[in-house]
Amino acid sequence: MYLPRAEAVSLVQQLRTLDRHGIFEKPVSLADYPDYLGFCPAPMDLSTMEKSARASGYGNKGQILADFERCIDNCLAFNPPKNWFHLAALEVRAKLERWCDRYFSCSLDALRSQWQPATQPAGRGKVVAGGGTSSASEVNGITKPKRRRSATAAAVPAAPAKRRRRRRSTSD
C-alpha cells in the first residue's frame, strides 16, 4: 500500500521549508562535480523526491524522511566539515529533528524505528567519505546518524568579548 499522492507531496513540500538555503532543491551537477558519485553513490534531492511523490513512489512517510536524510548525509559526506554546505546540512538536520517533534509528536529516532521501507533499494545506507556505506547503527534498514551539535552552535563562533578601556586619571 502506498502513501496517497497528495499526502506525500505535502510532506515533501513541508520538508522543503526546512532547507532555507535551497541546497537540496536540485541534483548535484555531475558536470561540475564529476567525483560526486564516488562519495555519494545514491544521490537524492527535493525535486527528485517530489517527482517520486507525485508518481506515488512512496509507501510511507518513513521512506520520505529516509530520502531527506539521505540528502543531508550525502552533503555531509561530500563536503569537508568546516565547509559552508556541511554546516548548512547540519543546520537542516537539527531543524528536521525539531520539526519531527512538532509534526509527528515524537523524535526522529522513534520514527526511524516505527517505519521501515517497503523495499530496501541499493545504496540506502549512510554514505561515508570512502565511498562505501556504514554498517553501524542501522535500524530497520534506515541508518541512524550520529548525534551532532546543532549547526547554529557549530557555525556561529562566540563573539569575542569587548574589552573596555580604562581611562587613566591624570590627577596623580
Side-chain angles (χ1 to χ4, degrees):
M1 181 175 159
Y2 279 88
L3 194 62
R5 282 183 197 173
E7 191 174 348
V9 170
S10 172
L11 184 57
V12 171
Q13 289 173 346
Q14 289 177 41
L15 290 172
R16 181 173 272 129
T17 64
L18 300 178
D19 180 20
R20 71 182 176 127
H21 300 294
I23 61 175
F24 302 125
E25 187 61 36
K26 295 182 181 177
V28 172
S29 170
L30 297 179
D32 293 337
Y33 303 99
D35 60 340
Y36 183 74
L37 292 178
F39 289 90
C40 309
M44 183 54 62
D45 63 277
L46 286 165
S47 65
T48 303
M49 289 174 62
E50 187 166 352
K51 286 177 192 170
S52 184
R54 291 188 188 284
S56 297
Y58 288 108
N60 58 45
K61 294 175 184 177
Q63 290 178 342
I64 296 173
L65 290 174
D67 274 354
F68 191 65
E69 282 193 296
R70 187 163 29 139
C71 294
I72 296 168
D73 290 340
N74 286 348
C75 185
L76 294 173
F78 186 70
N79 296 291
K82 296 202 179 201
N83 181 287
W84 180 87
F85 289 104
H86 189 96
L87 297 173
L90 291 175
E91 178 184 325
V92 172
R93 174 167 283 153
K95 286 182 181 180
L96 177 63
E97 289 175 359
R98 289 189 304 268
W99 180 82
C100 285
D101 286 339
R102 280 194 316 265
Y103 185 78
F104 296 110
S105 299
C106 64
S107 71
L108 185 57
D109 291 336
L111 293 174
R112 281 190 205 101
S113 65
Q114 289 174 10
W115 293 321
Q116 49 185 315
T119 59
Q120 182 69 21
R124 268 292 171 138
K126 181 178 181 185
V127 179
V128 293
T133 56
S134 166
S135 60
S137 69
E138 287 203 12
V139 178
N140 294 330
I142 299 174
T143 304
K144 181 177 178 181
K146 293 179 182 176
R147 285 268 182 198
R148 298 183 185 213
R149 291 184 354 187
S150 73
T152 53
V156 181
K162 289 186 178 181
R163 291 185 176 188
R164 292 187 177 181
R165 291 186 181 182
R166 288 187 175 174
R167 292 189 178 193
R168 293 184 181 181
S169 65
T170 57
S171 62
D172 286 338

